[in-house]
């Protein structure tokens, strides 16, 4: 005799073959949204597993390097190495501010170039040409005012 809780066994015994499987693996009824959620999180579990394998690979590589490398500390090896020059004096040194200004100006123009590519795709779309053109000239105007200000202050003069 077929088990009454087995829906597919009862359906086969009666002769019905089109009875949908309404139970999950554990015998608990599963609706469509739960099945979709389990498939959704199953795809993330694959990503999580790959991330875990990557972290384990790095940890094993560092551990193997620590176990296999020779450890012979000498005073020369314990010195701070900086650009091939032996350290002399204190660790604090004055840095010219202009290097930071150049880096800041580079970041400004890098961000500008990043905004130009999406702007070009929107500009090519029908119906957005004039609006996006005006917006880009306003954006470039702000950048030009900032560059003009830096030039007037003498920041761009290499001394």
């Amino acid at each position: 005799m077929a088990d009454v809780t087995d829906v597919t066994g009862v359906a086969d015994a009666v002769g019905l073959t089109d009875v949908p499987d309404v139970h999950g693996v554990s015998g608990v009824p599963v609706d469509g949204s739960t099945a979709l959620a389990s498939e959704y999180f199953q795809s993330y579990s694959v990503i999580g597993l790959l991330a875990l394998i990557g972290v384990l690979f790095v940890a094993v590589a560092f551990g193997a390097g620590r176990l296999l490398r020779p450890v012979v500390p000498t005073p020369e090896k314990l010195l701070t190495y900086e650009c091939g020059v032996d350290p002399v004096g204190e660790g604090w040194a004055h840095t010219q501010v202009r290097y930071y200004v150049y880096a800041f100006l580079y970041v400004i123009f890098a961000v500008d170039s990043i905004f130009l590519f999406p702007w070009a795709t929107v500009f090519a779309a029908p119906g957005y040409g004039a609006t996006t053109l005006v917006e880009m000239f306003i954006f470039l105007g702000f950048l030009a005012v900032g560059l003009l200000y830096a030039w007037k202050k003498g920041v761009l003069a290499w001394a």
Side-chain angles (χ1 to χ4, degrees):
M1 179 162 170
D3 187 11
V4 179
T5 58
D6 184 17
V7 176
T8 56
V10 172
D12 290 337
V14 176
L16 298 174
T17 56
D18 294 337
V19 175
D21 184 17
V22 294
H23 294 285
V25 175
S26 64
V28 178
V30 177
D31 61 345
S33 63
T34 307
L36 288 176
S38 69
E39 290 175 14
Y40 178 77
F41 288 119
Q42 183 180 7
S43 63
Y44 275 111
S45 66
V46 172
I47 293 171
L49 181 64
L50 285 175
L52 181 68
I53 289 171
V55 168
L56 285 175
F57 180 74
V58 170
V60 167
F62 275 114
R66 179 169 281 216
L67 291 174
L68 296 175
R69 72 175 177 228
V71 179
V72 184
T74 62
E76 290 84 18
K77 288 183 180 179
L78 296 176
L79 276 177
T80 303
Y81 180 79
E82 187 171 335
C83 299
V85 179
D86 291 331
V88 178
E90 296 182 22
W92 293 96
H94 294 287
T95 305
Q96 296 288 334
V97 175
R98 66 177 171 219
Y99 298 121
Y100 296 112
V101 172
Y102 287 121
F104 185 67
L105 288 173
Y106 170 76
V107 168
I108 288 174
F109 287 105
V111 168
D112 177 35
S113 65
I114 288 172
F115 281 126
L116 284 175
F117 291 110
W119 171 79
T121 57
V122 172
F123 182 70
Y128 292 104
T131 306
T132 56
L133 186 64
V134 169
E135 289 174 352
M136 185 49 68
F137 276 119
I138 291 172
F139 179 69
L140 291 175
F142 281 125
L143 286 177
V145 167
L147 187 61
L148 182 65
Y149 177 77
W151 180 58
K152 288 288 187 184
K153 285 291 192 177
V155 171
L156 301 177
W158 190 269

